[in-house]
Amino acid sequence: MSQDTLTITDNRTGKQYELPIQDGTIKAMDLRQIKLSDDDFGLMTYDPAFMNTASCKSRITFIDGDKGILEYRGYPIDQLAEKSTYLEVAYLLLYGELPTSSQLAEWTKNITYHTFINENIKKVIDGFHYNAHPMGMFEATLGALSTFYPDAKDIFNIESRWKQIYRLIAKVPTIAAFAFRHRLGMRYSYPDNDLSYEGNFLNMMFKTTELTYKPNPVLERALTVLYILHADHEQNCSTNAMRSIGSAHTDPFSSLAGAAAALYGPLHGGANEMVLRMLKEIGSVAKVPDYIKRVKAGEFRLMGFGHRVYKNYDPRARIIKQVAYEVFEVTGKDPLLDIALELERIALEDEYFVKRKLYPNVDFYSGIIYQAMRFPVDMFPVMFAIPRTSGWLAQWMELLDDPDQKIARPRQIYLGHRTRDYVPIDQRKDN
Ligand code: ACO
């Protein structure tokens, strides 16, 4: 008997089955042969929230949550954050290798060429109420964009596919900044293609009367690091949404709108906002011990702590903490930082947190940085969506090229009524 197999005895029938194990996994479909009788459907697995189910084979992002490792295409996140730029990392995620100088120049040119949006898209944004949430505007505008590019439906035409990728990576910062300025009632600031990807975003967000906007290099670099850290995180909720919608062969604009909708949720892209609210609620360093006491008593959770995958210090949190100090050199220190540092200090020493392997996650510091850079709280999920666009698109490409993939369609365990006769309305009784 091969060692790379799993032997299962079905105690209902006494039959034995030998299933192959590959990459530490058995195929769920191999269980279907395990039946009570010929007309039995066969055994399934029950796994709400995909807690122990691999939905794909991927070569993009590697995470070892116990050791606190995150790598894109094999490159450790700390090296990329220190040495790379966002567009270079986006190239890496999408093509699988770091670009040469000429490849990077071509890639940057292609993205930069597409930063403008059709003037009619501005009218879509203009149509939103003055206080519309920027993430709602962002995802709706992405959906609207699909109607501007009918060629995006040609998803198996490689040339067309890349064109949509250039367009999407180029236009998401423009949509985000226009949504922000619409809410403020400020004139839109058009892309400046002489600036870097990150510098141009700051230009579209914050330019007022200056003829040419000059981004602060420290803040520009901080944005680069934050973008790199958020570019991909393997099969998280929004990426799973992107793959699931993409599996229906939907165009990438509509698929991305769906992924952004998943990111909008407070359990996913909204946690850094909750961290900020928590720090404000605590109010001062002196009140931290009492707050920790209440967390330990189970009154509420410490926001920005703990992670489904990381049971060690989130490698992104370590990098972000350093960025926070650099940003505060420019913007002045946010008093919330002292509260955050004290919370972290106490929590990392406290048995409650140590025993449960609760460490700061990426969201613990990112909100404080965004606030210091003058991004309002409801822009935080949009700030997350801009860099995640490259990760979503890399995962979408991988899905389309994977011969194992089909339209995503989970099974269910049906527990409801079975066949019963329709009851006319006048014969129905209150339950
Ligand atoms: N504060 C206090 N206790 C916590 C925290 C926390 N932040 N997180 C987990 N715990 C405790 C739980 O109460 C539980 O304790 P128990 O065993 O005594 O019941 C134990 O740790 C395990 O918790 P689970 O909920 O099983 O852990 P899970 O992996 O399901 O949750 C999650 C992960 C949702 C991130 C959780 O840690 C949490 O709610 N954190 C706060 C919210 C947050 O920061 N979310 C951002 C995540 S990062 C991202 O999505 C980009």
Side-chain angles (χ1 to χ4, degrees), residues 70 80 84 105 177 199 217 227 253 270 274 279 282 295 303 316 325-326 335 337-338 347 379 419 423:
L70 169 63
L80 293 170
S84 196
Y227 277 4
F253 290 88
M274 295 200 286
L279 295 175
I282 296 172
V295 169
M303 287 298 133
R316 300 168 300 173
Y325 285 112
E326 289 160 17
L337 180 69
D338 287 332
M379 274 298 282
T419 323
V423 181

Side-chain angles (χ1 to χ4, degrees), residues 85-117:
T85 63
Y86 170 66
L87 281 189
E88 189 181 54
V89 167
Y91 183 103
L92 172 69
L93 288 169
L94 281 147
Y95 286 92
E97 296 296 339
L98 285 168
T100 61
S101 311
S102 60
Q103 285 167 336
L104 183 60
E106 179 71 12
W107 169 245
T108 306
K109 190 182 95 200
N110 284 332
I111 303 286
T112 310
Y113 184 78
H114 288 97
T115 49
F116 278 67
I117 52 176

Side-chain angles (χ1 to χ4, degrees), residues 63 86-87 123 133 147 149 199 225 278 307 355 385-386 390:
I63 301 175
Y86 170 66
L87 281 189
K123 290 188 202 153
H133 195 290
T147 67
Y149 301 112
V225 175
M278 173 188 78
H307 197 277
K355 206 172 88 193
I386 293 170
S390 58

Side-chain angles (χ1 to χ4, degrees), residues 189-227:
S189 166
Y190 278 67
D192 180 344
N193 289 346
D194 289 331
L195 297 174
S196 70
Y197 187 85
E198 298 83 341
N200 173 48
F201 181 61
L202 292 171
N203 155 67
M204 292 189 293
M205 288 289 292
F206 300 123
K207 182 177 176 207
T208 50
T209 56
E210 53 282 57
L211 283 179
T212 309
Y213 182 85
K214 289 200 176 55
N216 180 296
V218 175
L219 302 187
E220 193 177 355
R221 181 66 204 157
L223 212 51
T224 296
V225 175
L226 285 156
Y227 277 4

Side-chain angles (χ1 to χ4, degrees), residues 68-70 77-78 229 310 312-320 360:
I69 295 172
L70 169 63
I77 193 68
D78 48 328
L229 299 186
Y310 294 115
N312 201 322
Y313 210 100
D314 180 340
R316 300 168 300 173
R318 203 186 306 277
I319 300 164
I320 274 193

Side-chain angles (χ1 to χ4, degrees), residues 116 165 186 210 337 346 365 384 396 411 416:
F116 278 67
I165 289 171
M186 274 178 90
E210 53 282 57
L337 180 69
I346 297 185
Y365 287 104
F384 195 153
W396 171 74
R411 295 276 170 189

